[in-house]
Amino acid sequence: LEVLNAQHNPLVQWPQPFSELRALRALDCSHCGLVSIPQQIGDIGDTLISLTLNGNQLRDITAVLQGLLSLQVLKLSQNQLQMLPFDVTWPEHLIHIDLSQNQLVEIPENLCRLRQLETLDLSTNQIAHLPSSMSELIHLASLNVRENNLSGALEVLPASTHLHTVLLGRNNITEFRGIRFDKCLNLSVLDVSENKLKQLPGNICCLGHLKTLDVTNNDLVDLPHGIGYIASLSRVAVDGNKLRSIRRQLLGSCEKLKQYLRTRGASPPI
């Protein structure tokens, strides 16, 4: 047996023959009423590459991190995680982690050492800041930190040329400070909606592959003219700001808005 889907089964007692499933590669025990991770899962060893434990009542995941060294996909959405272990090495082959809809307040430095990680979902938690080591996620393609407690200046993003999606909506970010957009040149989607941004940095025009920019419901009073020179940009969402310097009829058309912004200055050096 290589794939086992045990979703929506109340696992009051873990089946004894489970420890004999030495060829198991994917296990889904979502919504099984688990309050802790059974030792039998950790005993599977190096064959398990995908583990899904969504919708349980887990508070500690140390057993997973210590026992499953070949794990590539880890899904722990909708649990009761408040802290992640700081003194445990994460499985180095992880490429996808979903920790959404928990109660996490911070991200440990050891998670940011996962050089092969491609997708990280931290949405709907209580995270107050992103660690500087987040820049070390050099293969990250998608970062979701929507609906957290990020506040003040955002000072770090993954320095990854693979990064194509960054979702930061529904936080309290007031500014981008020192963000090296030139380190994530392939970014395609940037969502910073429903924050408290008063301005966007001029170097956002470095994002030559940007297709969607969502800044709805912030405190912006103007936009950098360099946005007008991003040829790939096909959607700019700006509703709910105070853009008094830009005529309202321009805001409904991405191309008209870009054309207007280009009249306000030359193409910035990249």
Side-chain angles (χ1 to χ4, degrees):
L1 184 66
E2 293 189 357
V3 178
L4 176 59
N5 188 338
Q7 290 186 66
H8 298 283
N9 285 287
L11 295 175
V12 178
Q13 185 174 1
W14 205 254
Q16 186 63 33
F18 188 84
S19 59
E20 301 175 7
L21 300 177
R22 295 298 182 180
L24 198 64
R25 295 175 58 81
L27 173 63
D28 190 340
C29 291
S30 298
H31 305 283
C32 289
L34 298 175
V35 297
S36 63
I37 298 175
Q39 182 60 45
Q40 289 91 333
I41 292 181
D43 290 342
I44 296 174
D46 293 341
T47 61
L48 196 67
I49 62 174
S50 178
L51 177 61
T52 303
L53 297 171
N54 297 333
N56 286 290
Q57 302 170 47
L58 301 175
R59 295 177 179 272
D60 184 21
I61 61 170
T62 303
V64 169
L65 303 185
Q66 289 180 328
L68 303 175
L69 301 180
S70 298
L71 204 61
Q72 297 180 19
V73 176
L74 179 59
K75 299 180 181 180
L76 292 160
S77 180
Q78 296 176 293
N79 277 280
Q80 298 178 18
L81 298 172
Q82 297 180 358
M83 295 285 291
L84 297 174
F86 280 75
D87 55 352
V88 175
T89 301
W90 290 66
E92 63 179 352
H93 301 294
L94 277 167
I95 60 174
H96 176 94
I97 298 178
D98 184 355
L99 294 164
S100 62
Q101 299 184 62
N102 279 281
Q103 302 162 33
L104 298 172
V105 296
E106 61 181 317
I107 305 303
E109 299 278 343
N110 54 355
L111 186 148
C112 297
R113 299 191 186 107
L114 295 173
R115 297 301 181 91
Q116 298 182 39
L117 192 64
E118 297 177 5
T119 305
L120 179 58
D121 190 344
L122 301 167
S123 61
T124 318
N125 278 282
Q126 300 170 27
I127 299 166
H129 75 281
L130 300 181
S132 60
S133 56
M134 182 75 70
S135 64
E136 298 175 19
L137 295 173
I138 57 175
H139 282 97
L140 200 69
S142 177
L143 174 65
N144 187 349
V145 203
R146 285 181 59 84
E147 294 190 65
N148 274 275
N149 292 334
L150 299 178
S151 61
L154 184 75
E155 298 181 331
V156 63
L157 283 177
S160 170
T161 56
H162 305 276
L163 193 64
H164 59 70
T165 300
V166 172
L167 306 178
L168 299 167
R170 295 191 177 184
N171 282 285
N172 293 297
I173 301 168
T174 58
E175 64 173 312
F176 289 102
R177 182 184 298 166
I179 296 293
R180 293 289 305 273
F181 286 114
D182 60 328
K183 297 294 185 181
C184 41
L185 294 176
N186 291 309
L187 192 64
S188 175
V189 176
L190 177 59
D191 176 4
V192 287
S193 61
E194 298 183 66
N195 278 279
K196 296 181 179 180
L197 291 168
K198 293 181 171 57
Q199 65 179 8
L200 295 176
N203 70 338
I204 198 171
C205 67
C206 291
L207 300 175
H209 294 277
L210 193 65
K211 295 179 180 178
T212 297
L213 175 62
D214 190 341
V215 294
T216 54
N217 297 323
N218 277 277
D219 298 323
L220 299 173
V221 296
D222 203 354
L223 296 174
H225 77 272
I227 290 176
Y229 291 93
I230 304 177
S232 60
L233 192 60
S234 59
R235 178 175 179 264
V236 181
V238 296
D239 290 341
N241 285 283
K242 305 171 183 178
L243 298 170
R244 298 188 182 93
S245 61
I246 302 176
R247 289 175 298 175
R248 188 168 186 80
Q249 56 265 39
L250 296 175
L251 301 179
S253 167
C254 181
E255 284 307 314
K256 289 182 179 179
L257 176 59
K258 288 166 60 178
Q259 184 177 12
Y260 166 72
L261 291 174
R262 290 196 295 269
T263 67
R264 295 172 49 179
S267 176
I270 297 177

